[in-house]
Amino acid sequence: QSRSLTLLLAMRSASLAAGFVSPPASSISGAVSTGLSSSRTISGSSKLNVSTMKELAEKVLVNPKFPDAWPFSPEDFMRQDESDDTIFYDQPRLVYHIDDFAVGALTKYYAENFKD
């Protein structure tokens, strides 16, 4: 399901960059919940399949349209927390930086190869 969501987000970015209007959120969540295949409809009014979106993604930088002036201010690039980064890293944070499948594979590997 995360692969479908990643694909949909990539397709949305490509279609917006190409000038297409984004489908309603309800149609995107429906496509994610059912799993997207090459023949599924993303929105009720337009039938865009995976191959069509792949073609759009491949063409997104063929003729890009950039604004005449830089659209961002320095404030747009400020962090929410401007404190020193070393403060964040003072305490260990026990989090996974890999997906559940990778965690399972490593757990199995460790159980088989590292004995007490």
Side-chain angles (χ1 to χ4, degrees):
Q1 197 170 15
S2 68
R3 184 170 182 255
S4 295
L5 180 58
T6 302
L7 178 61
L8 283 171
L9 291 175
M11 292 182 329
R12 180 179 183 276
S13 298
S15 63
L16 289 175
F20 293 101
V21 176
S22 178
S26 59
S27 64
I28 291 175
S29 63
V32 170
S33 65
T34 59
L36 186 65
S37 72
S38 61
S39 62
R40 294 205 189 258
T41 302
I42 292 177
S43 80
S45 61
S46 63
K47 186 170 182 156
L48 297 175
N49 61 36
V50 172
S51 62
T52 303
M53 294 309 293
K54 183 175 184 276
E55 291 169 14
L56 288 173
E58 290 172 350
K59 294 178 184 175
V60 72
L61 292 178
V62 170
N63 187 18
K65 296 174 181 72
F66 297 105
D68 293 333
W70 180 250
F72 304 107
S73 70
E75 291 79 24
D76 293 328
F77 296 94
M78 291 181 64
R79 301 181 314 178
Q80 290 180 350
D81 180 1
E82 291 288 341
S83 62
D84 186 8
D85 286 345
T86 58
I87 296 169
F88 177 84
Y89 294 105
D90 279 344
Q91 294 183 12
R93 287 167 171 67
L94 303 176
V95 297
Y96 291 131
H97 293 282
I98 54 177
D99 64 21
D100 291 338
F101 180 78
V103 170
L106 281 172
T107 302
K108 180 181 175 189
Y109 175 82
Y110 291 159
E112 294 170 354
N113 293 286
F114 296 106
K115 304 296 178 193
D116 289 333

